[in-house]
Amino acid sequence: MKTFMKWAGNKSSIVDLIQPYLIGKNLIEPFAGSCAVSLNTSFNHYVCNDINADLIHMYTMIQKDANSFMNMAKTYFVDGNFQEKFYELRDEYNNSTNKDVRACLFLYLNRHCFNGLCRYNKSGKFNVPFGRYASPYFPEKEINEFAAYTTNFDFTNESFQESFKKANADSVIYCDPPYLPLTDTADFSKYAVDDFTVDHHKELSVLARQTADSLGCTVIISNHDTQEIRNFYNEADEIVSFMVKRTISSKTSERKKAPELLAIYKGKK
């Protein structure tokens, strides 16, 4: 299933590489993002969590009443594809306290901003510039498919630590955290107001080991495949590496492949 959100690091193209390691009856994604993995797998129950409150509220609005959400969101797409209007609506998003308005504007910004990036400044303001697309697409078909598929999904807006607490022996946890940047200028991981730091990465690896051991379930973490990253996951039972096409560069010709890994923590049952 195609996701309706543009998302840096979207896993749609490599779900088939991840799926063989997703062993369990229920899937928990502490860093769900566009929900690409959950939408392209089959489990009894899903917990899709993300720290971005507007993203999760958008999902819950769609799950509750997709038509109402789309009717509201479409109004921002009408005459919205020019620079002055974009920055006007971006300011409205940054200053609004209305959850429904922010959720609908979040979709608008995602479809109209540069490369579909989601980034906030230190003041918590969305700061991605105008994308200059010829005709931004309103993903009505994909939203309807999302609504139909997610009837057995729980959407949560909490820390990854809290998401882990929802696991049991029948769970598999797939973690796709904000990646550590490969260069000093390549940090696209500020998806929410709070940064995901090196210490968070270390905490995640410890929690993965502890959870797998205590519950007997499988925990999987995605990240770049570098020696530094491998050092974080030195207690994993298995490391799987493969090449993935990068999607950040504005020029398609410059989107080269780079190595990624799965750190797999296997619980003993």
Side-chain angles (χ1 to χ4, degrees), residues 23 28 40 73 80 85 91 114 130 141 163 175 179 188 195 217-218 220 244 251:
I23 301 170
I28 298 174
N40 289 283
K85 189 65 174 180
D91 286 342
F114 173 74
F130 184 52
K141 175 178 179 291
S163 289
C175 301
Y179 285 11
F188 297 96
D195 284 318
C217 66
T218 298
I220 302 168
V244 175
K251 295 182 180 179

Side-chain angles (χ1 to χ4, degrees), residues 54-96:
D54 297 320
L55 178 71
I56 293 301
H57 189 64
M58 178 183 64
Y59 289 158
T60 56
M61 287 179 71
I62 292 169
Q63 189 182 51
K64 181 179 179 180
D65 190 338
N67 286 330
S68 292
F69 169 81
M70 288 190 289
N71 287 338
M72 184 175 179
K74 281 179 180 178
T75 62
Y76 297 110
F77 281 68
V78 177
D79 298 325
N81 190 32
F82 56 95
Q83 185 166 299
E84 293 80 3
K85 189 65 174 180
F86 172 84
Y87 288 113
E88 176 186 322
L89 291 176
R90 193 180 75 171
D91 286 342
E92 181 178 348
Y93 169 80
N94 283 327
N95 294 316
S96 177

Side-chain angles (χ1 to χ4, degrees), residues 209 211-218 237 265-269:
R209 180 73 274 162
T211 303
D213 290 343
S214 63
L215 297 179
C217 66
T218 298
D237 296 296
Y265 298 79
K266 301 176 182 179
K268 298 179 181 180
K269 297 184 179 181

